[in-house]
Amino acid sequence: KNTLKAIKESLLSISNNYESLNEMFKDESFEKLLNNLIDSQPTTHIKFNRYHPNYIDWNTVDTHIKFNLFRILQELIQNIHKHSNANLATFYFTKVEDGIEIRINDNGIGFKEDVFSGMGMQNIKDRIKQINATIEIENNSGTKITLKIHV
């Protein structure tokens, strides 16, 4: 009973967190939230850069997509900190013909193939499916990740 009660409380907490984040994405500028996420990273070992070569009107993007995208980027940043041994990570946010493309490049050591079996990557894959997006990951002179979101 105690385990079930703890699980229920955890699920309620997650649900409440989802709702509050969902409201935040309606009220705040999503670009500002993304910039704050990247700018708030500790820079003791890794420098984080971001570029917005083509303006994206985030107000036209569904809140559900923005929520999941934010969570995906949080997980990818965490993976850079934990596993990359990089000293530079760069984010490119670009409007493309059929949606949005986000590229994340780091100059780290790349990754091992078993990285795809971890919980974090599984969560990313699940969120990618939820928002009808695609992800491409290259392991060449660091890691290069491309997210394509069809909006």
Side-chain angles (χ1 to χ4, degrees):
K1 283 185 175 181
N2 288 338
T3 302
L4 288 175
K5 186 177 178 181
I7 291 170
K8 179 182 174 186
E9 289 172 7
S10 178
L11 289 173
L12 287 172
S13 173
I14 291 169
S15 175
N16 290 337
N17 188 27
Y18 177 83
E19 288 303 317
S20 65
L21 280 173
N22 216 7
E23 286 302 312
M24 185 171 71
F25 292 141
K26 287 180 184 175
D27 297 336
E28 291 275 341
S29 158
F30 188 65
E31 184 173 355
K32 180 179 175 184
L33 292 171
L34 291 175
N35 288 338
N36 287 341
L37 174 65
I38 294 168
D39 291 343
S40 68
Q41 299 306 307
T43 58
T44 52
H45 296 95
I46 304 172
K47 180 179 180 186
F48 288 86
N49 290 326
R50 68 183 182 302
Y51 299 98
H52 305 272
N54 293 339
Y55 177 74
I56 299 168
D57 184 359
W58 289 105
N59 293 322
T60 63
V61 179
D62 182 84
T63 304
H64 178 72
I65 291 173
K66 291 188 282 191
F67 173 82
N68 282 288
L69 182 57
F70 190 81
R71 290 298 200 195
I72 290 167
L73 291 174
Q74 283 180 314
E75 183 67 39
L76 292 173
I77 288 171
Q78 185 174 355
N79 287 346
I80 291 169
H81 282 295
K82 281 181 166 177
H83 306 295
S84 74
N85 288 335
N87 61 21
L88 178 65
T90 306
F91 293 73
Y92 300 91
F93 298 89
T94 306
K95 173 132 179 61
V96 292
E97 187 173 310
D98 61 342
I100 299 166
E101 183 175 286
I102 300 171
R103 288 182 295 126
I104 303 117
N105 301 336
D106 72 52
N107 66 350
I109 60 172
F111 58 87
K112 298 177 185 170
E113 290 300 318
D114 67 346
V115 73
F116 295 106
S117 62
M119 250 337 244
M121 283 306 293
Q122 187 57 52
N123 288 337
I124 289 172
K125 288 179 187 177
D126 291 344
R127 290 183 185 281
I128 292 286
K129 285 181 188 174
Q130 287 181 34
I131 62 173
N132 191 30
T134 60
I135 186 169
E136 297 172 14
I137 303 174
E138 295 178 45
N139 190 19
N140 184 6
S141 300
T143 302
K144 294 173 180 46
I145 297 172
T146 304
L147 296 169
K148 294 181 181 175
I149 301 100
H150 308 283
V151 291

